[in-house]
Amino acid sequence: MTMQEFFAMGGYAFYVWTSYGLTLIVLLANIIIPVLQRRQLLRSLTLKQKRQ
């Protein structure tokens, strides 16, 4: 099996690589979104505490 055959995936390359790409995007979103939400929550709590 050559590298070209591997990346062609027997004619299904578009579907296979699209699936891998979408899976990677979802996994990254599952890591990044909670981190961003935590930062925003901590920022808002800090501001709320300073006001009181």
Side-chain angles (χ1 to χ4, degrees):
M1 178 185 277
T2 65
M3 288 299 275
Q4 186 176 5
E5 289 173 342
F6 173 75
F7 287 112
M9 297 281 177
Y12 296 102
F14 176 76
Y15 304 106
V16 172
W17 292 113
T18 302
S19 297
Y20 282 150
L22 289 174
T23 301
L24 181 63
I25 290 170
V26 169
L27 289 174
L28 288 174
N30 280 328
I31 294 170
I32 293 170
I33 291 172
V35 170
L36 295 176
Q37 288 177 338
R38 182 177 185 271
R39 281 187 194 168
Q40 184 180 9
L41 176 64
L42 290 175
R43 221 178 288 137
S44 68
L45 289 174
T46 302
L47 288 173
K48 188 176 181 179
Q49 188 177 16
K50 285 181 182 180
R51 283 187 232 142
Q52 291 179 355

